[in-house]
Amino acid sequence: MGVNLSTSIGKVQLKNPVLVASGTFGHAKEFERFMDLRRLGAIVTKTITVKPRLGNPPQRIVETPSGMLNAIGLQNPGVEGFITDKLPYLRKIGVPLFVSVMGYSTAEIAEVVGRLESEGGIDGYELNLSCPNVSYAAKVGSVSHARMFAHDPELVRQAVSACRAVTSRTLIAKLGPDVSDIGLIAEAAESAGADAIALINTFVAMVVDVERRVPVLANKTGGLSGPCVRPIAVRLTWEAKKRVRIPVIGIGGIRNAKDALEFLIVGACAVQVGTANFMNPAAPIEVLEGLEKHLKQRKIPALTDVIGSLKDRA
Ligand SMILES: Cc1cc2nc3c(=O)[nH]c(=O)nc-3n(C[C@H](O)[C@H](O)[C@H](O)COP(=O)(O)O)c2cc1C
């Protein structure tokens, strides 16, 4: 029995729900020797900014129990470098492509999206409104904020609206976990015209070197990811999905099909595999094969029968 794993995100049809998370899969070429990239549901690039960035000074990564902290600081070649050096390879792979985009102001985010609009082979944009390792200067009214867009519904609304005005391609708003009401932030993204929500980005966190009594990371804090965040990410996905009609993409600590199923059952239409790629570069394909097996064994004809199928406990 064949199973139908197809799903959709905005205007983009995917043959399966397994995506790779921004910043954990390079620009895909790095992973071609580990898998047939055409099997992925879609690719999300490393976040791109207007200008090239070298990122934060080392040490930028530290392992923690069941996870890791990173403070890469959005190292990237800038939008022009991306178009020249990375996009030609990515557009040839033949799977849907979402370019992750970020800026230090609403205008800058929209500038990157606007510049990419004239380039073919891009299906949509994932707006990284939630990177914890760089400071932002966002403006609400006359007040300047040095904070994450995803912490404030008004900033999310402004960023999504500005991008909506320059593109009709699929727009995904990527949100962070460090908020008291994820539903409020998700609603803001939806009302501003986002086609989908992706969550979660990493948690702001810190590791201390007790001998030297200094933070281990040069940036002092970093973003926590990996299996340790998964139960929180599942809860946030469930909460967000109850508040919006647009699709939600689940991210956080996914290593195998069982992990992915938790997100799908609480309502995610697709998932992204992140930190697991560092431990097992074939993880996205193993998640995909595991999902197929799960459905086949239980004679479930389509992934859509699983999405949002959470039951009340009797
Ligand atoms: C080393 C590293 C770099 C990352 N870089 C980005 C990035 O550039 N843009 C972004 O939106 N998220 C970035 N993330 C966050 C991931 O895309 C993902 O949202 C997060 O790690 C949670 O998923 P995971 O636990 O499966 O890794 C990065 C994560 C890691 C570990």
Side-chain angles (χ1 to χ4, degrees):
M1 168 199 161
V3 291
N4 179 0
L5 288 177
S6 66
T7 185
S8 60
I9 300 171
K11 299 167 198 74
V12 186
Q13 286 296 323
L14 310 181
K15 61 182 179 298
N16 72 66
V18 184
L19 285 68
V20 286
S22 179
T24 66
F25 205 71
H27 290 286
K29 189 165 176 41
E30 298 86 332
F31 282 74
E32 69 180 7
R33 67 195 170 104
F34 299 108
M35 69 180 72
D36 178 355
L37 295 167
R38 291 169 303 182
R39 294 184 71 190
L40 295 169
I43 290 173
V44 184
T45 69
K46 171 81 187 153
T47 297
I48 303 300
T49 49
V50 174
K51 299 252 158 57
R53 284 179 54 92
L54 291 173
N56 291 324
Q59 183 173 343
R60 310 201 291 188
I61 283 184
V62 59
E63 251 186 271
T64 64
S66 291
M68 66 185 272
L69 250 70
N70 91 83
I72 305 296
L74 295 183
Q75 181 178 350
N76 80 91
V79 68
E80 295 304 332
F82 172 77
I83 290 169
T84 312
D85 300 334
K86 309 293 181 190
L87 188 55
Y89 177 85
L90 285 162
R91 64 157 69 99
K92 266 197 248 150
I93 296 171
V95 297
L97 178 66
F98 296 101
V99 180
S100 171
V101 166
M102 183 263 181
Y104 298 93
S105 64
T106 309
E108 249 188 55
I109 305 180
E111 184 183 339
V112 182
V113 171
R115 174 64 189 91
L116 291 166
E117 275 298 279
S118 53
E119 298 297 323
I122 297 172
D123 295 274
Y125 307 100
E126 184 178 87
L127 307 181
N128 178 1
L129 305 174
S130 46
C131 180
N133 300 319
V134 289
S135 50
Y136 300 74
K139 222 165 179 207
V140 177
S142 57
V143 184
S144 284
H145 289 245
R147 60 196 294 204
M148 229 182 256
F149 286 90
H151 279 170
D152 184 328
E154 183 50 33
L155 296 183
V156 167
R157 203 170 288 120
Q158 287 179 11
V160 173
S161 303
C163 296
R164 186 73 293 165
V166 296
T167 186
S168 55
R169 287 174 174 166
T170 292
L171 268 186
I172 304 168
K174 183 167 179 184
L175 307 182
D178 302 307
V179 293
S180 53
D181 183 358
I182 194 72
L184 197 67
I185 312 286
E187 283 169 358
E190 179 175 51
S191 69
D195 297 295
I197 307 288
L199 79 175
I200 57 173
N201 209 316
T202 54
F203 284 84
V204 183
M206 190 172 186
V207 175
V208 173
D209 178 332
V210 296
E211 293 303 331
R212 293 167 59 220
R213 300 189 187 176
V214 294
V216 169
L217 297 179
N219 190 54
K220 299 188 179 70
T221 61
L224 180 66
S225 63
C228 57
V229 308
R230 196 183 62 251
I232 314 175
V234 170
R235 187 265 298 175
L236 288 163
T237 302
W238 175 65
E239 282 184 356
K241 188 56 209 161
K242 284 192 287 188
R243 302 273 288 275
V244 292
R245 282 182 304 277
I246 53 176
V248 174
I249 304 165
I251 322 169
I254 297 173
R255 299 157 305 167
N256 53 39
K258 184 175 165 292
D259 297 344
L261 280 160
E262 289 195 45
F263 287 90
L264 294 164
I265 289 168
V266 301
C269 70
V271 294
Q272 295 182 8
V273 178
T275 298
N277 296 319
F278 296 106
M279 264 87 72
N280 172 14
I285 300 303
E286 290 178 16
V287 171
L288 172 60
E289 288 173 351
L291 283 177
E292 202 166 8
K293 195 168 153 200
H294 179 91
L295 267 65
K296 267 188 189 159
Q297 280 175 347
R298 288 159 186 79
K299 300 195 177 0
I300 303 170
L303 183 79
T304 46
D305 298 322
V306 174
I307 294 172
S309 61
L310 186 73
K311 298 176 188 156
D312 281 335
R313 287 181 60 85

